[in-house]
Amino acid sequence: MGFTPLPGSAPKKVSAKIVVAGGFGVGKTTLVGSVSEIPPVNTEAIMTQASVPHDDLSRTPDKQTTTVAMDFGRITIAQDLILYLFGTPGQARFWFMWEDLTRGAIGAVIIVDTRRLEDSFQAIDYFEKYTDLPFLIAVNHFEGVPMHPVEDIRNALDLDDDVPVVVFDARDRRQSAGVLAKLVEYTMNFNADPALSR
Amino acid sequence: MIPTPPPGASRRVRSYALTLGRTRPSLPLLLETLVTAVDPGPGGLAGMTPEQRNIYLACTESRSVTEIATTVQLPIGVVRVLISDLAQQGKVEIHRTVGSGPQADTELLERILHGLHAIAG
Ligand SMILES: Nc1nc2c(ncn2[C@@H]2O[C@H](COP(=O)(O)OP(=O)(O)O)[C@@H](O)[C@H]2O)c(=O)[nH]1
Ligand SMILES: [Mg+2]
């Protein structure tokens, strides 16, 4: 084998995760693909879905497995620090895996398309109601679509004043990285300021 | 989140039965948690089940739980249990994550921010 570390002595590494959410066709796959260093951005993960109520642990072996296609990306920040991106699967039948997707995340980017803002309502509701995670709204601007003032979008989405709203092009690697940077910056403020936390 | 068990039914016993007596690793196995195979010692890979061996070989370079599960084509829940077995046997190392909320490591967030700014230009 090409390595000789002793047990317990593998070089220390750390990872982090950002969740990319939003309605169908808003640009989740495009964002993950534009910034990720690994080409096959769509991962077929086999998940186990509870077919029995959560409290009946004795019956969990009866769970059924489902293959979930999800966007998966990786950015090596440094040899010892890896950032992973997880896109939420679109279909409602995969809601069960959102808890796994969001647990431990540093935050979420929720993408919206101004032609159909309502498609991303469910994702916004999820982060507001069921998680403590900081999130920002990234408006994926498709050419030929009129630019709306950010404040109009904030009002239409009924967002808190502190939630950042940024406009970007998901196909552009630099702009996508900029959106992720903005989220990390917001996360640092959010974690430090109890008033911002929900 | 976890409901209170009905009187008489000990949830501890039931959880224990579920994992066949396996205890949880000290670090949580999140989807993004990195795992690295370490020198297996004199016994080599002998004594590992084929699934454990595949998992071990999938992380000779550090890989996340999701990547390992995708490589070996097993459900993520099963892969978590097998990884924690391997960790207890000292065959793989489980790494920590940056963390969420107030527990997040600020210094690491700053390094991530710098890395992303470098890409954004
Ligand atoms: N013109 C344009 N097309 C885009 C942009 N972002 C995504 N697309 C296209 O819109 C479609 C849906 O994007 P996709 O990333 O698959 O959406 P998802 O369902 O959220 O994963 C794809 O055909 C993309 O190529 C953009 O910024 N401009
Ligand atoms: Mg997609």
Side-chain angles (χ1 to χ4, degrees):
Chain A
M1 252 157 245
F3 61 92
T4 50
L6 297 166
S9 69
K12 296 277 176 273
K13 299 202 176 206
V14 198
S15 58
K17 167 176 67 187
I18 290 176
V19 179
V20 180
F24 183 75
V26 292
K28 299 181 295 294
T29 301
T30 307
L31 184 161
V32 173
S34 75
V35 286
S36 177
E37 67 201 25
I38 44 173
V41 293
N42 210 263
T43 283
E44 300 268 306
I46 306 171
M47 300 295 296
T48 310
Q49 179 169 21
S51 56
V52 291
H54 251 316
D55 58 340
D56 193 357
L57 281 178
S58 58
R59 288 191 55 207
T60 37
D62 293 347
K63 283 175 173 182
Q64 64 194 68
T65 58
T66 330
T67 300
V68 182
M70 61 182 176
D71 301 311
F72 177 78
R74 186 174 68 200
I75 301 173
T76 301
I77 301 290
Q79 214 180 2
D80 65 335
L81 182 56
I82 316 289
L83 174 63
Y84 286 104
L85 304 176
F86 284 80
T88 55
Q91 303 92 319
R93 67 197 166 96
F94 295 135
W95 273 106
F96 73 93
M97 65 173 296
W98 280 54
E99 200 193 324
D100 244 348
L101 283 172
T102 55
R103 192 186 310 130
I106 61 183
V109 170
I110 302 179
I111 307 179
V112 302
D113 179 335
T114 52
R115 290 167 296 184
R116 34 197 189 82
L117 284 180
E118 63 282 2
D119 288 6
S120 294
F121 285 177
Q122 274 198 320
I124 298 171
D125 280 350
Y126 182 88
F127 284 96
E128 278 182 348
K129 291 186 185 142
Y130 302 113
T131 76
D132 300 321
L133 294 177
F135 64 85
L136 64 66
I137 302 297
V139 181
N140 187 17
H141 185 253
F142 288 74
E143 63 276 8
V145 177
M147 279 277 195
H148 297 274
V150 157
E151 279 320 304
D152 290 359
I153 296 169
R154 179 188 302 285
N155 288 334
L157 294 174
D158 196 16
L159 298 172
D160 286 348
D161 290 344
D162 60 280
V163 175
V165 179
V166 293
V167 180
F168 83 123
D169 182 334
R171 297 167 301 177
D172 187 281
R173 174 173 151 86
R174 289 164 156 239
Q175 291 187 36
S176 293
V179 168
L180 300 177
K182 182 83 187 165
L183 172 70
V184 174
E185 210 178 302
Y186 175 56
T187 297
M188 292 171 74
N189 295 331
F190 186 93
N191 291 347
D193 183 355
L196 290 182
S197 307
R198 290 181 299 279
Chain B
M1 268 318 262
I2 298 174
T4 319
S10 163
R11 91 172 266 111
R12 179 170 295 125
V13 169
R14 288 186 296 149
S15 308
Y16 184 85
L18 172 69
T19 56
L20 305 173
R22 292 142 160 163
T23 49
R24 289 184 189 286
S26 49
L27 288 169
L29 286 164
L30 303 173
L31 292 179
E32 68 277 20
T33 300
L34 288 167
V35 180
T36 313
V38 298
D39 188 328
L45 306 192
M48 288 186 197
T49 64
E51 290 81 10
Q52 285 180 325
R53 189 173 316 191
N54 287 341
I55 288 174
Y56 180 91
L57 293 172
C59 61
T60 53
E61 300 268 358
S62 305
R63 286 288 176 265
S64 64
V65 170
T66 303
E67 288 164 296
I68 294 168
T70 308
T71 305
V72 303
Q73 279 296 295
L74 285 173
I76 286 183
V78 171
V79 169
R80 280 186 171 127
V81 174
L82 295 175
I83 289 174
S84 65
D85 285 352
L86 287 169
Q88 277 187 350
Q89 296 162 20
K91 312 279 194 201
V92 301
E93 190 138 326
I94 298 172
H95 301 273
R96 70 193 177 95
T97 59
V98 168
S100 261
Q103 293 103 311
D105 186 323
T106 311
E107 208 174 296
L108 290 171
L109 286 177
E110 236 153 58
R111 285 181 61 200
I112 293 173
L113 183 58
H114 270 105
L116 291 172
H117 275 154
I119 299 172

